Structures are given as C-alpha cells and as structure tokens.
Amino acid sequence: MLGAVETSSVSPVFVGRAGELTALTDALARAHADGEPQALLIGGEAGVGKTRLIEEFVDAACGRGAIVALGGCVEVGADGLPFAPFSTALRSLNRRLPEELAAAAAGQEGELARLLPELGDVGSHEPSNEDATARLFELTVRLLERLAADHTIVLVLEDLHWADASTRHLLAYLFRTLRRGRIVVVASYRADDIHRRHPLRPLLAELDRLRTVRRIELPRFTRAEVRRQLTGILAAEPDPALVDEIFERSDGNAFFVEELVASQGSGRTPGSLTDSLRDLLLVRVEALPEDAQRVARTVAEGGSAVEYALLAAVARLPEDELIEALRAAVGANILLAVPDGDGYRFRHSLVREAVSDDLLPGERSRLNRRYAEALEADPSLVRPDERATRLATYWYHAHDPVKALPAVLRASVETRKRSAYAEQLRLLERAMELWDEVPAEVRGSLRPLDYAEAYPACGCDPETTPLRYLDLLAEAAVAARVCGERERALKIGKMALRLLEGDDGEERDPLRAAWFWTERSRVMSGLGRSDGWAEIATAQELVRGLPPSAVHAVVLAVAAGWGMLHKPGPESLAAAERAYEYARLVKNEAIELHARLTLGTLQVSAGDRDEGIAALYEVRDRTRALGLYHESARAHINLSHALENLGRSREAVEVADDGIRFAREHGLLDSQGWIRANQAESQLPLGLWEEAQHNCEWLERAGTSSKPRGTAAVRLAQLAVARGEPDTATALLTAARGHYGKADPMPQYTVPVELVELSIAAAAGRIQDVRTVLARAAESGFPPGTHRDGWPLLLAAATAEADGLGLPAAAPGRDEALALIRRCARRLATPAPVWQAYSLHVSAELDRAEGRASVERWAESVAAYGRTERPYQLALARHRLADVLLVEGGRREEAATLLREAHATAVRLGAHPLREDVELLAARARLPLTAPAGAPQPRHGDDTFGLTPREQDVLRLVAAGRTNRQIAEELFISPKTASVHVSNILAKLGVSGRGEAAAMAHRLHLLRETV
C-alpha cells in the first residue's frame, strides 16, 4: 500500500462557502449543547465543492471532539449496494466506539447484523414481511440515539444520487423519527443528476416538507472566488487573462477549474481542449503512463471503490508495477486511497464515469469477467455483506447468462435476508431477463429460492422440483408489493396470470393462479384501483372443489378479511369460520391465527362479545409467543378496535399502549400507525383530547399507510369542531377524503367522514346540508360495528334539528328528518351502557326538537353518562338539563351546580362552543359559575385554574426551568405543541411570563405529584 503522496492542482485554500460552513458548525453546536438532532442536505452539481465543504466541516467537528462516521453510496456498475453508506458508517462507529456500540445493540445483534455483519449472524425473519424493514429502520434509529446520548456523533452520507431504494427509505425514516441525541446527519447528492424521474427526487420533496431538515444548495464560484482558488493552486497571483479564460470555460465549477489548470501544466493550453466534457475529464488520465491508465480503467469498472487485493487479482500486473501505477494515478489526483479501508476510488466520480464510458464493449465484459472469476476464486477479497451482490453484478455485466443467473438468484436471497426488498426486486428482474438465455439443463439444476408466503404450497418437494419462471414471478411480485412498487407488482402479476391462463397446458395450475389473484387483490386495493373483491372472487372460484391446501386457506382468510372491512355481517362471519377450519385442516398455524383474528373481530360485531374478545386476546398472546410479530401487531389493532366497539375505551387505550410498545420494540412502523389511530379514537371520548391530538400528529408526521392517516385527519377534524374551529375541520375533512380515496370505500371510514361533514354543517347552522348528509348515511346503512360513529352522527343531527326549532328556514322537511333519525336509531345497536346513554341522549334531543323537553328525560341522560367515562357528552347533557330546570323554575341551585360542572369540563377540554353556551345560559339566568365559599368544588375546577393534566405536566417542567424544546422531547410532543401549551398556561393563570407561572405554581400547589 501507499503512504502519503504529493498532490497537485488542488487548492490548499478553502475558498468561499463561509455561510454554508457556518450553517454546518452551528448545527454541530446545537446538537452538542442541546442534545437536539440536526439534519442537513447538501446539494450541488458534480465538481462544485460538496466533498471539500464536508471535509472542512469534518475537520472542524473532529477538532471539537465529535465522533465522525462517513459512508458513501456505492455504485457497482450501474447498481447501488443496499444500505452501503449506513453499513460503512456503522462500521466506522464500531471501530471508534466498540464497547458503546455493542451495549447499544445488545439484544438486537441479529437484526442489526443486516447493516453491520460484524455484530453476528443475521437473525431469523418473517419471509417477505414489510414490517421487517420497518423494524430494522427503528432499531437503527434507536442505536444511533443511544450512541448519541453520551457522544456527539456526526454521520456523513455522501452521493445520495447513487443511493439504492433501501438506503433512501432508511434515510427518510431517520430524518422523520430521529428525535433525541447529540447527532448531526449530513447527506450530500449531485443535483445535476436528479432528473424528473430520478428515484431520489420524491425523497428530496418529502424531506423539504420536514421542518427539521435544512437543505443547502452550493452555487458555482464567482469570478472572485475562482481567482482565489487559482491563487491557492498556483501559489501566486494569477494573470487576469488566465482568470477570465478559466472562469469562462469552467463556468465557476471548482473541479473543472482544477482540471483546466492541470491540463495547462501538462503542456496543453486551455484553448486546445475540445468542448466535450468527456475529453476534458479524460485529458489527465491519458497523460498517465500506460500501466496507470490500465489500472484506472480496471478500477472504473470495479465499482465506486475497489479493494487492493481484488484489484491486484484483476489487473494481473506484477506487484511492483501495480504499486508504481497506483502511485502515478494517486499522484496525479486521479485515484485516492479509500479512507477507512484497503482500496482505491476515483477522486471524482465524473472521471470514473468518463473512463468507464470510454471502454470498448468487449473490454468492459472482459474486466467484469475477471472481477467475477477473482471473487469466485477467493471470496475473502470483499466484505461478506457485499460479496453476493457484487458477484452477481460482475457476472451480469460480463454477459455470461449461465454464470449470472445463479449468482443473481443467490444475491436476491441475501438482499431479502437484509430486508432490502427493492434490491431483491431489481435482482429478480435481472433473473427474469436472463431466464431465456440460459440453457434448459442449467435452469433444471436450480431450486426454488424461498417460497413467497403461501406460494406455491402445492405439495412439491423443493429438493427435487426445479425452479420455474413462475416461481421467479411469485418472488418478484411479493418483493415489489413489500417495497412499495405496487405498479410493478401489478405488472408482474399480470404476466404470471397470462402464463397460467395461456394455451400451454404445462403452466396451468389453479392453486398458483389463485395465489396470484389473491396478490392482485392486495395490490389493487393498495393502489386504490378497486376494492379487490373481483380478484378474490376469481381466486375462490379457482380453488373451489380442490383438496384443502394452504393456498385455499389463504384465499378464504383474505375473503373473510375483506368481508370484515367492507360487508360485516353473517356472511362474512361464516366465511371467517370456514377459513379458520381450513387452516386447521391443513395444519398451518400462521394462517389459522390470521383467520381466527378475523373471526374474533366479527364475533364481537355479531354480538358474541365475550367469546370474540377472548379469542382476540388468545391470538395476540399466541402470535407473540411464536414470533409472528406482524400478526401479533394486527391482533393489537383488531383488539383495541373491538374494545372501543363495546365502549370499553379505557381498556382499548391500555391495549393500544401495549401494542405501541410492542410495535416500537419490533420496528413495526406501519402497524404502530394503525394502533395509534385506534388509540386516538378511544382517547377522544375519554376526554384525553391532547393525547389523541399527539397520536394524530405522530401519524401525520411518521405514518406510512394512507388509511390511518385518514383516520388521524378525521379525529383531528372532530376535535376542531368541538373546539369551535370550523375552517380547520373543513380542511382536515378534505385531507381525510384524500387519504381514504374513492375506489375502496369501507363503512368504518365512510361513517366517521359523514359524522364530521354533518357536524361541520350543524356548527354553521346549515340545516339542509345536515339533512342531506343524514339521508346519505341512512341510505348506506349502519353495518355491524359502525354504531360507534353512528350514534354520534344521529346525536349531531338531532341536536341540529333541536337548535333549529322555530327557524322558518328549518321548518320544511323537519318532520321527515326527525322520523328518519328515529328509524336509524331503532336499527343501531346498543351493545354496552355507553351506547345506551347515547340512545337516551338522542331521544332527549328529539324531544327538544319537538318542543317538549322534560327534566326526567334529561336527568336520565345525565345519569346514564355518569356511569360511563364520557366527560364531554356528560357536560353536554348537564347543560341541557340545567336549561330545562331553569325553564321549569324552582331548582336554581341544582342548575347552577350542573352549569359549573359542565363549564369546568368545557374549560378543561378547550371545548369553546360548549363553554360559550354554558356561560351564556349562566349569564342569562344570573347564576355564578364559581361555587360559593364552602361549597364542594368540581373535580376539574378552580383548584387547578382549568389546567388540563397535560398542561400540569408542562407547568411542572416550566417550573423546573425547561425550554420548549426540552419539554417537547421529554413529553414526546412537538416544540410547537409545547409552545401552545405554555401560552395556554400563562393565559389561564393570568400571568405574563414563565417565571411568574412557576412562582404561582409553587405558591398555590398547582403541580401534580408524580411517582
């Protein structure tokens, strides 16, 4: 290997970029001082100086004691290695902080070994489980947060324009979810490579929407900066004519300036160069000795970086000659030694591309063959985590299908084990491309790779049955669906079905066809093209009459699940029972548990509540014991949903808490989103509005599936209506509809949307719009399980009719509307006391709408709500009861107590319309909303100044001297939400500053005790 070599043409002076460097160092200072993660994106065209800026920043960071870990996206041929920059960076951290990293990764070594093989063997994984990727991402973030708790970490990821899909997804996840730790993440990309269809473009757009990510675009140098650069290179003041010439030709690109100066130094004049960029980039390579040029060509085809031993094997030069050739290339600033490894790379990727493009077709194939043969002869020449992918790439570019196909298939298995499904798909597509070029006898020696979920499950022996093209399509279809390439999954599925339905009887296989139709159903639903039922029906028809099989069980289970979501009722319940029995018959416990989960959920909706809930708990525990993490998370989702259907909101919140912890522990980001959506839905009726808002904000920020994000928007819209913010509610309703889409309507989503739409119209006094929405909802009906939103919808409609009593514009159609509400109420289920309380409330409002409100009816409603945890609904009923008491007269003290209790709840929740109604009624009746001396105080009244439990948490931290950002970090809320809480606290306490608030909190003992 080489030691230090003298370089030329590189400016020893760091020119310009003062503002950009300050932004980077300021971010480092904030991360170090406040423990707030910082994220920065550096973009610019090739050669503009991104790497030099990063080098200066890294030097500054090292000078301040930071631990720097660099990783670059690796291109092998035209391919990126999955997770390459993260693997390199983690490897660097492992060298610098071995004990700390081992402690941070304790218990998760098998999972994290997908990124850092040095941690041990890759752990077991659920085949084709999209949540395995999310789990890996979550564990990576937690690892970095733990390391950054005690050390200031600078993570640099270069050349994102080459990033593979897995790296892009992990980076997006990191930027979205990294919330604590002294860490700065800096990523760079070549802006001029980001064309309209470049895969990095959507990621950049997504990151631009994150307030936590700062984007820095490097412009080209000005003439003055080029002059300073030339002064540094030449060690003398340049001639003005030279400055003008080079500035004009380089157009301010720092790398081109260096190349133009170097070409002049080699005996050429700038004016003698052609306008071709390739010629400009190749000019110094062509000036190298022949052996050095040969080595440069070899390195160019080996990838972004090539190990010395591998290069020696491929170059086939005597070692002394190889060293001299490398010394010449390094001395000319063509090649550089890899910083943390035993290899070489081009100083600038543009030069590598130019050299590679200059190779003759046969020359390129020969070099790739040499790389492949050398790697096969000695696999230790490259790191184990790169070996399969690089070998597959070399053989592919060597144009040797017989060698390439097995190598590509082996690499696809390795990428799947690392949850790099996008790279697995790319490799499988190559295998499909190579298939017909490989002789039949070679294909006959290949064996099925790893059955895609229940496929083929047709009784074939994988040890003796050869791999078929259909098997490749099945693997590729699953990989495409899991990595989010649903359009590609759809095309692959179509291709497979055409083969299965063609004239070639050899390919006809009803079980495989049914499996592909089931996959198609999932993809069509995910794309929003249809609800997926037509595809399921086709699959059912294909398996009808066939012996029981796992595919048969899967088809039935998927059909039952579809019925649960779209048409809950007796038919779906029977379908779930059949699926459960089939799965037991074929002895497939995973499918059995999946079907039983659907069955238990439908049992609860059908009225068999105890058995259904017990089944859901059993499935949750059994799947957890078997390590079926995705199915266990689904059990948490369905269980929390079923408990809310029964009005057991507190228990639903607790189940969701356990589910969120479980999902975080196992990196199930998508499942966590569904669970949080359910938890928010249960928190709202319990009066935990701020906790529900926190869950919904999390979904807006980090949710991956559209349906939970739609639910978050719906619940936030409900909150906005209750808080008197109709414009916000309208915007959120529009967002919810966008998330849900139109092609796949489900009652559990359509009814809440109609509830919000009706509530917004009622708040605006648009009674005819209220009736229109009510009629539409009644026409669609309220299937089993939708009573949870059906009762609030009827209550909102009845309340709107009662509020409109006496208004001339509301009179036409009133009788029909009231009759419709009554008909719907008779059809809605009341499976628990809370829904019986809603039924009484609706009846009381209907009486009020007809001008015959009674104390007895409203007292009954108040008593019913008093036996449930529904503070907002109880406050509404108390307000109405107080109104009736005042109208009848003689019971003013009782009315005053009800109003004070309703007012305290409205203040605590921030329900401004209810608060205004209560205050207006109290003022009209001349009743004080503060209790007389010695009278019992409301539970959430003046003793806490109306502070909510979350506001009391914030006040305690304010009193402890925390900043808004520190409060946000400790309470897992956004800084903006923390700021709003502080403003509300100051207003409620009537003070002007945080210090006064802290003093009053201590003086009046406002802080809740914590244990």
Side-chain angles (χ1 to χ4, degrees):
M1 291 300 294
L2 299 177
V5 252
E6 183 180 353
T7 62
S8 61
S9 83
V10 180
S11 174
V13 178
F14 181 60
V15 177
R17 314 303 188 207
E20 292 85 353
L21 183 59
T22 299
L24 290 167
T25 54
D26 285 350
L28 177 64
R30 285 194 297 273
H32 179 76
D34 302 332
E36 298 176 4
Q38 305 292 312
L40 302 100
L41 279 172
I42 300 176
E45 66 181 14
V48 81
K50 300 182 296 296
T51 300
R52 185 65 184 274
L53 173 63
I54 289 173
E55 288 172 352
E56 292 292 326
F57 170 60
V58 166
D59 288 344
C62 291
R64 299 185 186 188
I67 305 296
V68 178
L70 294 96
C73 298
V74 177
E75 189 184 38
V76 180
D79 315 312
L81 288 173
F83 302 123
F86 285 97
S87 296
T88 304
L90 289 177
R91 194 170 283 114
S92 177
L93 288 174
N94 193 34
R95 284 194 295 271
R96 298 287 301 278
L97 303 169
E99 296 180 1
E100 292 88 340
L101 191 140
Q108 309 296 341
E109 293 89 347
E111 298 281 355
L112 289 169
R114 297 173 187 173
L115 291 182
L116 185 59
E118 288 84 343
L119 290 176
D121 295 331
V122 174
S124 61
H125 66 290
E126 295 179 68
S128 303
N129 185 353
E130 52 265 48
D131 284 317
T133 304
R135 172 171 168 74
L136 176 62
F137 291 1
E138 177 66 20
L139 292 176
T140 304
V141 172
R142 285 162 56 187
L143 176 72
L144 292 172
E145 287 180 341
R146 289 169 181 168
L147 290 173
D150 300 316
H151 302 273
T152 301
I153 305 291
V154 175
L155 180 65
V156 179
L157 307 172
E158 294 192 275
D159 298 326
L160 287 186
H161 50 278
W162 285 332
D164 58 281
S166 296
T167 294
R168 296 194 300 271
H169 296 162
L170 177 50
L171 182 66
Y173 185 87
L174 179 68
F175 280 159
R176 285 202 311 266
T177 60
L178 194 61
R179 288 290 176 266
R180 63 180 64 85
R182 290 149 46 190
I183 183 169
V184 180
V185 182
V186 179
S188 70
Y189 65 95
R190 191 192 294 174
D192 48 336
D193 270 11
I194 311 304
H195 51 77
R196 189 173 63 178
R197 296 185 179 180
H198 194 285
L200 186 63
R201 193 179 184 93
L203 173 61
L204 294 176
E206 176 186 349
L207 297 181
D208 278 341
R209 293 191 291 270
L210 296 179
R211 295 188 299 272
T212 54
V213 179
R214 178 171 181 180
R215 191 161 165 181
I216 299 173
E217 292 288 343
L218 296 188
R220 294 174 179 176
F221 280 164
T222 63
R223 183 187 183 283
E225 289 170 330
V226 168
R227 184 186 62 78
R228 290 183 57 203
Q229 184 184 9
L230 289 173
T231 301
I233 294 173
L234 301 173
E237 187 69 27
D239 183 87
L242 178 64
V243 175
D244 291 339
E245 176 72 18
I246 290 185
F247 177 65
E248 181 181 350
R249 295 190 62 78
S250 68
D251 206 14
N253 184 290
F255 176 69
F256 294 165
V257 169
E258 294 175 356
E259 292 300 304
L260 287 165
V261 173
S263 68
Q264 183 188 41
S266 65
R268 305 170 187 264
T269 62
S272 67
L273 295 173
T274 68
D275 290 332
S276 167
L277 174 60
R278 181 178 301 166
D279 288 346
L280 171 62
L281 296 172
L282 289 176
V283 66
R284 283 206 293 148
V285 176
E286 293 171 349
L288 291 173
E290 182 57 39
D291 282 349
Q293 289 188 50
R294 177 179 172 186
V295 168
R297 290 193 293 269
T298 304
V299 173
E301 201 57 26
S304 296
V306 181
E307 296 78 359
Y308 173 76
L310 179 60
L311 177 60
V314 174
R316 300 181 182 179
L317 287 172
E319 187 169 13
D320 289 344
E321 295 179 19
L322 176 60
I323 291 292
E324 287 306 312
L326 286 168
R327 183 177 297 279
V330 172
N333 275 316
I334 303 298
L335 298 181
L336 291 176
V338 177
D340 289 326
D342 181 21
Y344 294 88
R345 65 176 178 85
F346 276 82
R347 177 175 173 268
H348 200 286
S349 57
L350 285 176
V351 180
R352 186 181 73 82
E353 291 178 13
V355 172
S356 180
D357 289 344
D358 199 47
L359 292 172
L360 298 173
E363 188 178 13
R364 177 176 291 111
S365 298
R366 184 189 64 188
L367 283 173
N368 276 281
R369 174 177 292 278
R370 285 186 180 178
Y371 272 113
E373 289 172 346
L375 196 51
E376 280 191 342
D378 185 358
S380 67
L381 292 174
V382 302
R383 289 195 296 265
D385 55 314
E386 297 182 6
R387 188 178 300 143
T389 301
R390 288 178 65 174
L391 184 61
T393 299
Y394 292 145
W395 277 124
Y396 177 80
H397 289 294
H399 302 293
D400 187 335
V402 172
K403 289 282 193 177
L405 180 59
V408 166
L409 293 175
R410 285 192 296 270
S412 75
V413 173
E414 292 300 316
T415 52
R416 177 185 234 173
K417 289 179 179 178
R418 300 182 68 191
S419 303
Y421 296 111
E423 284 62 49
Q424 181 201 11
L425 173 61
R426 175 180 55 77
L427 288 163
L428 289 170
E429 288 182 322
R430 280 193 174 169
M432 292 155 56
E433 173 192 337
L434 295 167
W435 186 262
D436 289 334
E437 300 180 33
V438 176
E441 58 270 18
V442 175
R443 297 200 303 261
S445 66
L446 302 173
R447 294 291 172 261
L449 305 174
D450 183 6
Y451 292 155
E453 298 179 348
Y455 177 94
C458 302
C460 62
D461 182 0
E463 298 300 324
T464 58
T465 303
L467 176 74
R468 297 199 303 174
Y469 190 69
L470 273 174
D471 302 334
L472 283 184
L473 294 177
E475 295 285 346
V478 173
R481 171 172 56 81
V482 171
C483 76
E485 294 285 346
R486 292 190 177 95
E487 289 286 358
R488 187 62 188 136
L490 187 63
K491 291 179 181 178
I492 292 170
K494 284 182 180 178
M495 190 186 310
L497 289 170
R498 280 198 299 269
L499 285 174
L500 286 162
E501 295 167 1
D503 296 332
D504 184 359
E506 182 180 331
E507 293 291 349
R508 290 183 181 176
D509 187 325
L511 283 179
R512 283 184 167 85
W515 183 90
F516 276 108
W517 278 108
T518 305
E519 276 292 300
R520 182 178 172 84
S521 169
R522 300 169 73 172
V523 173
M524 291 291 285
S525 177
L527 286 170
R529 303 279 175 80
S530 75
D531 61 8
W533 177 250
E535 291 78 12
I536 294 173
T538 302
Q540 286 181 312
E541 191 62 33
L542 285 165
V543 298
R544 196 183 308 279
L546 297 178
S549 69
V551 171
H552 203 147
V554 164
V555 171
L556 291 175
V558 171
W562 186 96
M564 176 184 70
L565 296 174
H566 295 83
K567 293 184 178 180
E571 291 185 6
S572 297
L573 181 64
E577 290 172 340
R578 287 197 301 273
Y580 175 61
E581 292 303 325
Y582 256 93
R584 296 188 66 188
L585 184 63
V586 299
K587 295 183 171 60
N588 191 313
E589 189 173 10
I591 302 175
E592 174 189 336
L593 291 167
H594 179 92
R596 192 181 181 201
L597 192 52
T598 302
L599 176 60
T601 306
L602 286 166
Q603 285 175 321
V604 173
S605 297
D608 195 354
R609 297 184 287 274
D610 292 340
E611 184 174 347
I613 292 294
L616 294 178
Y617 272 113
E618 289 174 12
V619 171
R620 182 196 66 174
D621 296 341
R622 179 58 179 161
T623 51
R624 185 177 293 193
L626 292 175
L628 299 173
Y629 301 137
H630 182 264
E631 204 63 44
S632 185
R634 180 172 174 254
H636 285 93
I637 296 167
N638 286 22
L639 179 56
S640 58
H641 178 88
L643 290 169
E644 181 60 30
N645 269 352
L646 299 178
R648 291 157 63 172
S649 301
R650 182 68 63 179
E651 187 178 353
V653 168
E654 293 170 355
V655 166
D657 273 334
D658 178 61
I660 290 170
R661 285 192 297 270
F662 178 83
R664 277 186 58 83
E665 179 183 347
H666 295 283
L668 308 176
L669 178 64
D670 191 54
S671 297
Q672 185 183 164
W674 290 90
I675 298 170
R676 283 185 182 273
N678 282 357
Q679 188 177 54
E681 189 175 352
S682 296
Q683 288 166 332
L684 282 177
L686 292 172
L688 304 174
W689 288 8
E690 292 175 3
E691 290 80 353
Q693 181 174 343
H694 164 64
N695 271 325
C696 293
E697 288 174 347
W698 185 95
L699 281 163
E700 287 184 325
R701 183 179 69 250
T704 57
S705 290
S706 60
K707 294 293 195 296
R709 295 176 72 181
T711 298
V714 163
R715 301 310 168 191
L716 286 174
Q718 285 183 267
L719 271 178
V721 171
R723 288 170 170 168
E725 302 166 354
D727 292 342
T728 300
T730 301
L732 288 164
L733 179 61
T734 301
R737 285 183 169 134
H739 289 309
Y740 288 145
K742 298 180 179 179
D744 189 14
M746 301 182 195
Q748 64 175 319
Y749 303 129
T750 56
V751 177
V753 166
E754 289 166 338
L755 164 61
V756 172
E757 183 181 2
L758 189 149
S759 300
I760 293 172
R766 303 195 312 267
I767 189 64
Q768 297 303 329
D769 289 344
V770 169
R771 292 169 182 170
T772 299
V773 177
L774 173 66
R776 186 170 69 238
E779 183 179 359
S780 300
F782 298 97
T786 59
H787 56 274
R788 61 203 290 172
D789 289 294
W791 279 116
L793 186 148
L794 295 184
L795 177 58
T799 302
E801 294 293 345
D803 290 343
L805 181 64
L807 297 177
R814 176 189 299 280
D815 292 341
E816 293 82 355
L818 295 178
L820 180 58
I821 294 172
R822 285 195 167 92
R823 286 199 301 274
C824 291
R826 284 194 292 270
R827 293 199 299 267
L828 269 182
T830 54
V834 65
W835 309 120
Q836 294 162 13
Y838 264 100
S839 176
L840 292 171
H841 195 167
V842 170
S843 297
E845 286 290 2
L846 289 172
D847 286 351
R848 186 168 72 92
E850 295 176 337
R852 50 187 177 85
S854 69
V855 170
E856 292 76 14
R857 176 77 74 165
W858 280 109
E860 189 178 10
S861 178
V862 169
Y865 277 130
R867 294 188 290 271
T868 68
E869 284 189 276
R870 293 295 187 273
Y872 180 63
Q873 285 70 27
L874 177 58
L876 291 171
R878 282 172 170 166
H879 169 242
R880 294 299 178 201
L881 177 56
D883 192 9
V884 176
L885 288 172
L886 291 170
V887 169
E888 291 193 357
R891 301 168 69 175
R892 288 177 58 81
E893 286 303 319
E894 186 177 348
T897 299
L898 289 167
L899 288 176
R900 282 194 294 270
E901 292 171 336
H903 187 260
T905 299
V907 170
R908 178 174 67 85
L909 295 177
H912 299 300
L914 174 59
R915 178 178 180 174
E916 291 172 359
D917 288 345
V918 171
E919 290 174 351
L920 182 62
L921 178 58
R924 192 172 69 239
R926 300 187 179 183
L927 291 173
L929 289 176
T930 55
Q937 300 291 315
R939 184 171 58 181
H940 295 289
D942 298 330
D943 59 333
T944 61
F945 286 76
L947 296 179
T948 67
R950 177 47 62 93
E951 286 170 348
Q952 293 179 51
D953 290 336
V954 173
L955 178 57
R956 185 175 67 256
L957 295 174
V958 168
R962 301 288 199 278
T963 65
N964 287 349
R965 188 168 291 278
Q966 290 169 331
I967 292 170
E969 182 175 330
E970 187 158 340
L971 297 182
F972 301 100
I973 59 179
S974 70
K976 183 178 179 182
T977 302
S979 176
V980 171
H981 283 316
V982 172
S983 298
N984 289 340
I985 290 168
L986 298 182
K988 290 179 180 180
L989 297 184
V991 297
S992 59
R994 301 165 78 98
E996 290 182 62
M1000 179 177 283
H1002 287 296
R1003 186 171 70 251
L1004 300 181
H1005 306 289
L1006 299 181
L1007 302 179
R1008 298 185 300 165
E1009 294 295 322
T1010 59
V1011 294

